[in-house]
């Protein structure tokens, strides 16, 4: 089922049913998708390069701009290399096509994003689900389902999109190390959003870089489009050689590749935007927690609001509309039963806009 039709006006407002409304939803955590620098870059790149690279990167479409983007990604994450492609949803299948034959059993968090759930089905491996955010259950499932020499890959979101939960990755890494295994972290909602320098959930938890794979997207923290994997040169070489989803796809639209380079450069030069957003997030989560809402201890700027009743949620929706706020009601996999309002704040959200949201929700409780 599709969501309501909307038209975006600028970084913070949209039109819905003919009415201009404040938009505190979505996934563009720094509103880079509408930043003047990005818009100008797309316009200039379109005129310079056109739209389509005219082929896959393994044939005639390996435009020089892709290497520039991958170098910029590697620089941002402090990695040796990176691979970029058309969609973040593809990132897990592309990675697994490169590495799946090195593992015997897949363990996935039961609430993992559908891109992980879809990816793991492709390889004929044993798949075990463990309880949401539960290191103890993971440990028990590993003990019960592995034998000597079993090679395991444990997969999870780095930031779960419904509420912004960050799993106990440090515990997972310690447990997995005992089983000849490794973590795979889908950090789509973490890149350029959490961590001291925006590198993602593993930076928050202080993981050793050798203990995990990281997949993600350019469409959220970076506000453009495309999927990415960063890592060592050997990993990226495996992707080039083994992943048919990578080699068989037409490359990212060239203006979007240029936009991603500009966005990464901007956020590299302005990483304080990332940490400031985290600080504002923690403050607002405390305010919502004081109002009785369950808020995870996470710096991801996601705020799940539900009154746990269909009629009360409908009342809140009307209140939001009357206060000039778009109601981002979500009933997506991973959402609370019956759905919830999934708000975010961004680098461009003002304190006045935050107060408007808080007052509207408070009045509907």
């Amino acid at each position: 089922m599709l969501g309501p039709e909307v038209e975006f006006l600028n970084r913070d407002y949209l039109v819905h049913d003919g009415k201009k409304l404040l938009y505190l939803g979505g996934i563009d955590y720094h509103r880079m998708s509408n930043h003047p620098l990005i818009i100008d870059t797309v316009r200039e790149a379109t005129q310079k390069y056109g739209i389509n690279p005219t082929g896959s990167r393994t044939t005639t479409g390996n435009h020089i701009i892709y290497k520039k983007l991958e170098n910029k990604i590697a620089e941002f994450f402090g990695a040796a290399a990176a691979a970029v492609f058309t969609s973040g949803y593809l990132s897990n299948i592309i990675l697994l096509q490169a590495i799946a034959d090195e593992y015997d059993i897949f363990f996935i968090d039961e609430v993992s994003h559908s891109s992980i759930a879809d990816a793991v089905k492709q390889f004929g491996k044993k798949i075990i689900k463990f309880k949401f955010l539960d290191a103890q259950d993971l440990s028990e499932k590993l003990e019960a389902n592995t034998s000597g020499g079993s090679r395991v890959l444990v997969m999870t979101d780095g930031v779960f999109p419904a509420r912004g939960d960050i799993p106990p990755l440090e515990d997972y890494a310690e447990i997995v190390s005992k089983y000849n295994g490794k973590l795979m972290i889908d950090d789509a909602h973490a890149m350029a959003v959490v961590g001291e320098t925006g590198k993602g959930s593993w930076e928050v938890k202080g993981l050793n870089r050798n203990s995990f794979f990281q997949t993600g997207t350019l469409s959220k923290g970076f506000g453009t489009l495309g999927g990415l994997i960063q890592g060592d040169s050997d990993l990226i070489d495996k992707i080039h050689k083994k992943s048919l989803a990578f080699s068989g796809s037409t490359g990212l639209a060239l203006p979007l590749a240029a936009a991603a380079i500009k966005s990464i450069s901007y956020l590299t030069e302005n990483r304080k935007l990332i940490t400031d957003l985290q600080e504002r997030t923690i403050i607002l989560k405390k305010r919502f927690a004081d109002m009785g809402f369950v808020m995870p201890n996470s710096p991801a700027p996601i705020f799940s609001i539900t009154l746990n009743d269909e009629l009360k949620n409908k009342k809140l929706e009307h209140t939001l509309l009357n206060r000039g706020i778009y109601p981002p009601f979500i009933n997506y996999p991973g959402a609370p039963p019956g759905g919830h309002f999934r708000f975010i704040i961004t680098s461009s959200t003002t304190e006045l806009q935050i107060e408007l949201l808080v007052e509207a929700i408070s009045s509907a409780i």
Side-chain angles (χ1 to χ4, degrees):
M1 182 177 177
L2 298 178
E5 293 182 354
V6 298
E7 176 186 357
F8 293 98
L9 296 176
N10 53 36
R11 298 181 77 188
D12 298 305
Y13 290 89
L14 54 70
V15 173
H16 173 58
D17 281 346
K19 187 176 181 180
K20 179 181 177 181
L21 299 169
L22 174 63
Y23 181 55
L24 296 172
I27 55 173
D28 184 4
Y29 297 108
H30 300 291
R31 294 296 191 241
M32 295 302 294
S33 65
N34 206 269
H35 195 290
L37 284 173
I38 303 304
I39 300 301
D40 289 345
T41 298
V42 170
R43 183 183 300 112
E44 293 167 7
T46 302
Q47 293 173 341
K48 183 176 181 179
Y49 303 128
I51 299 294
N52 193 305
T54 76
S56 76
R57 293 185 64 187
T58 55
T59 57
T60 60
N62 193 27
H63 197 283
I64 191 172
I65 199 170
Y66 296 132
K67 189 60 179 177
K68 293 178 179 178
L69 173 54
E70 287 167 343
N71 288 342
K72 187 62 69 174
I73 290 169
E75 177 187 342
F76 185 92
F77 290 99
V84 67
F85 30 87
T86 54
S87 167
Y89 200 94
L90 287 174
S91 63
N92 296 314
I93 185 67
I94 286 174
L95 177 64
L96 287 177
Q97 286 179 344
I99 66 169
D101 59 0
E102 301 172 19
Y103 298 93
D104 303 307
I105 309 176
F106 294 154
F107 292 80
I108 68 171
D109 188 294
E110 64 184 359
V111 186
S112 290
H113 191 268
S114 55
S115 61
I116 296 178
D118 283 351
V120 297
K121 298 173 185 176
Q122 310 300 313
F123 303 97
K125 306 278 184 176
K126 187 175 183 179
I127 302 167
I128 307 294
K129 293 185 178 181
F130 61 93
K131 293 178 182 177
F132 181 48
L133 306 177
D134 194 330
Q136 180 62 36
D137 189 60
L138 172 61
S139 180
E140 292 171 1
K141 293 285 175 59
L142 281 162
E143 184 175 359
N145 291 279
T146 59
S147 56
S150 295
R151 301 167 300 172
V152 302
L153 185 65
V154 174
M155 290 169 272
T156 180
D157 294 44
V159 168
F160 284 87
R163 302 193 319 153
D165 298 274
I166 297 178
L169 296 173
E170 69 279 30
D171 295 334
Y172 293 177
E174 182 180 356
I175 293 165
V176 171
S177 68
K178 303 172 184 177
Y179 290 88
N180 192 27
K182 202 162 183 176
L183 299 179
M184 188 188 91
I185 306 169
D186 183 333
D187 249 355
H189 289 269
M191 292 177 166
V193 179
V194 301
E196 186 178 353
T197 62
K199 291 184 175 66
S201 60
W202 64 269
E203 187 178 30
V204 175
K205 298 296 187 176
L207 296 194
N208 182 300
R209 295 186 70 100
N210 295 323
S211 66
F212 64 90
F213 301 105
Q214 184 187 36
T215 64
T217 183
L218 294 160
S219 67
K220 297 175 172 60
F222 296 112
T224 56
L225 196 67
L228 70 92
I229 298 167
Q230 62 89 5
D232 59 35
S233 298
D234 181 60
L235 173 64
I236 303 307
D237 188 53
K238 288 178 185 177
I239 288 170
H240 295 165
K241 292 177 178 178
K242 294 185 176 184
S243 173
L244 295 179
F246 178 86
S247 63
S249 298
T250 302
L252 185 64
L254 301 176
L256 294 176
I261 291 171
K262 181 63 71 173
S263 177
I264 295 170
S265 296
Y266 181 81
L267 289 170
T268 299
E269 295 164 4
N270 297 276
R271 292 199 197 234
K272 197 169 186 300
L273 286 174
I274 298 170
T275 53
D276 283 352
L277 181 57
Q278 294 171 19
E279 292 171 5
R280 297 172 74 203
T281 293
I282 296 302
I283 292 169
L284 184 54
K285 283 189 174 177
K286 184 178 186 309
R287 293 183 69 183
F288 280 133
D290 289 344
M291 293 164 61
F293 295 105
V294 177
M295 293 284 135
N297 181 25
S298 160
I302 300 168
F303 305 85
S304 173
I305 300 294
T306 178
L307 300 179
N308 299 303
D309 178 274
E310 184 177 353
L311 292 178
K312 290 180 179 178
N313 279 341
K314 186 61 69 174
K315 176 187 173 185
L316 175 55
E317 180 179 5
H318 290 314
T319 300
L320 292 165
L321 288 169
N322 290 337
R323 299 289 184 97
I325 302 171
Y326 180 76
F329 190 76
I330 308 292
N331 201 358
Y332 188 74
H340 65 145
F341 296 90
R342 183 190 180 277
F343 295 100
I344 71 168
I345 60 171
T346 75
S347 296
S348 66
T349 306
T350 68
E351 292 305 312
L352 278 176
Q353 291 167 343
I354 290 174
E355 290 305 316
L356 182 65
L357 175 65
V358 170
E359 291 171 9
I361 293 173
S362 179
S363 71
I365 295 178

